[in-house]
Amino acid sequence: MALRLFNKLKNTVLQKSMVLLYHRIAEPEVDIWDLSVSPDRFEQQLQVLKKRMKIVSLQELIRTKSLFKNRVAITFDDGYIDNYKMAKPILEKYEIPATFFVTSRQDQCECEYWWDILENCILSTEYLPPVFNMDIEGKEFEFSLEGETCLTIDIFQLHKKWKAYVEDPPTLRAKLYNQLWLMLKVLPFNEQHFYLKKILEWAHAAEAIIRSDYRTMSAKELKQLANCRLFTIGSHTVHHPSLAQHGADFQKREIIENRKYLEEILGCKIRFLAYPYGNYNEETLIIARNLDFDAAFTTEERMINTSAIYQLGRFQVKNLTGTEFSNQLENWLH
């Protein structure tokens, strides 16, 4: 009886510590994965957190092993430029710590991620050819856009409202994007960009125009971010692969090279790892353990449980007002 009561009380306390996941602090026209929070709403959310929770660094949250109630740590994935331009000054204003998980992509510095280029090409290009036909990884893929070769205002409005992670594609263009995204996601970086180049050529956009607000942080900007006492940098692989789709050697190389790059330019130990797309398998967990990371993070929404230190959950924050976020926080905590 006493043991059951102890475990119940222990679990109640443990379930009050959580990690939040952000990607972008921006206001893009199309945001099908809900990766962006506007600067104004981000500030509202921080104000709610200051009132409701004890905001701590990721290091403190892990070090104290979640034994304190209502603690929260803030993380960002992918290293978008708005992390530096928008998130950094707002976090500094409120003296709030955060950890930024960044890729290195040494051969593709300061560029857009493949999924953003693909999204812009398929969902926002004014005119597309009527038929898409391409051999992808030895499989012939053909798709007809029928009456959607021209991007109308109505079609674009549907794209702006679409949430790809919970809704079926609302247009033929969206369906084409979704199928291409699934095909490219599992490929290594070089193959992703080989096919992406061919897709751009099909769309008569031989070279993607790099949008300045979609690019990733430069090494210089990353250093300036890391120099602030509030912020730490974590590993997020070199090229953002879906790790579980690849063998152990590939996974290990992606993680080690990213960590080495970050440690060389920042001059500090990289202690935390976040799995791209939240995707991992048993081999990934073994690699994270053998490389002696202090902790590793998924995108699975669950409270902190330090018995699974390389499978720690995070809650992705969407573009909610302060009131909406407060309600969401209440739901998460209970």
Side-chain angles (χ1 to χ4, degrees), residues 13 27 29-30 43 123-124 167 173 185 193 203 218 229 254 256 268-271 287 289 295-296 313 325:
V13 173
E27 298 180 84
E29 276 197 288
V30 178
E43 187 163 4
L123 301 187
S124 299
E167 299 172 350
R173 283 181 178 234
K185 178 186 175 184
H193 281 263
S218 67
R229 62 177 177 79
E254 278 282 332
I256 288 177
C268 63
K269 184 74 171 176
I270 301 298
R271 300 190 174 279
I287 292 167
R289 184 182 303 110
F325 177 68

Side-chain angles (χ1 to χ4, degrees), residues 46-89:
L46 294 185
Q47 290 169 350
V48 170
L49 288 175
K50 292 281 280 189
K51 293 178 181 178
R52 295 281 309 275
M53 307 285 285
K54 171 68 173 176
I55 309 173
V56 299
S57 67
L58 208 53
Q59 297 95 314
E60 182 177 345
L61 191 70
I62 300 304
R63 185 175 63 248
T64 56
K65 300 187 185 300
S66 314
L67 295 178
F68 297 92
K69 291 173 58 177
N70 294 341
R71 289 200 168 196
V72 62
I74 293 173
T75 65
F76 287 80
D77 278 8
D78 300 340
Y80 282 98
I81 181 58
D82 51 71
N83 290 187
Y84 175 79
K85 289 187 174 181
M86 304 304 299
K88 177 178 180 287

Side-chain angles (χ1 to χ4, degrees), residues 80-245:
Y80 282 98
I81 181 58
D82 51 71
N83 290 187
Y84 175 79
K85 289 187 174 181
M86 304 304 299
K88 177 178 180 287
I90 298 173
L91 290 164
E92 288 176 323
K93 176 181 176 181
Y94 291 94
E95 287 280 305
I96 291 176
T99 296
F100 298 83
F101 292 103
V102 299
T103 59
S104 40
R105 303 189 304 159
Q106 296 97 321
D107 51 351
Q108 291 287 318
C109 292
E110 300 180 56
C111 71
E112 290 189 36
Y113 281 106
W114 69 267
W115 58 82
D116 288 328
I117 297 173
L118 181 66
E119 177 189 293
N120 191 42
C121 174
I122 305 299
L123 301 187
S124 299
T125 298
E126 188 172 0
Y127 295 101
L128 290 175
V131 177
F132 179 89
N133 188 291
M134 190 174 296
D135 183 288
I136 299 179
E137 294 293 284
K139 295 181 179 180
E140 188 74 13
F141 176 56
E142 183 172 313
F143 191 95
S144 173
L145 287 175
E146 298 178 5
E148 292 188 15
T149 56
C150 178
L151 183 68
T152 65
I153 294 176
D154 289 342
I155 290 173
F156 189 62
Q157 289 300 318
L158 290 173
H159 293 166
K160 289 174 68 174
K161 296 176 182 177
W162 181 36
K163 298 307 174 187
Y165 58 96
V166 290
E167 299 172 350
D168 291 333
T171 68
L172 289 172
R173 283 181 178 234
K175 187 175 181 180
L176 174 60
Y177 168 84
N178 192 61
Q179 293 189 31
L180 289 172
W181 182 86
L182 288 170
M183 292 177 187
L184 266 59
K185 178 186 175 184
V186 299
L187 300 179
F189 176 82
N190 289 339
E191 293 181 34
Q192 284 176 340
H193 281 263
F194 170 77
Y195 290 114
L196 188 61
K197 182 179 179 181
K198 293 181 68 174
I199 292 167
L200 291 171
E201 290 172 351
W202 165 79
H204 305 299
E207 292 187 8
I209 298 174
I210 303 301
R211 297 169 290 179
S212 60
D213 54 339
Y214 277 79
R215 72 172 177 87
T216 52
M217 284 184 281
S218 67
K220 180 180 178 181
E221 290 159 344
L222 188 58
K223 287 179 186 178
Q224 292 175 349
L225 183 68
N227 283 338
C228 177
R229 62 177 177 79
L230 291 170
F231 307 136
T232 56
I233 307 301
S235 180
H236 202 42
T237 73
V238 176
H239 297 115
H240 202 285
S242 182
L243 288 171
Q245 308 300 321

Side-chain angles (χ1 to χ4, degrees), residues 33-45:
W33 301 109
D34 259 346
L35 298 183
S36 300
V37 175
S38 74
D40 177 63
R41 292 190 174 187
F42 180 57
E43 187 163 4
Q44 291 179 40
Q45 292 171 6

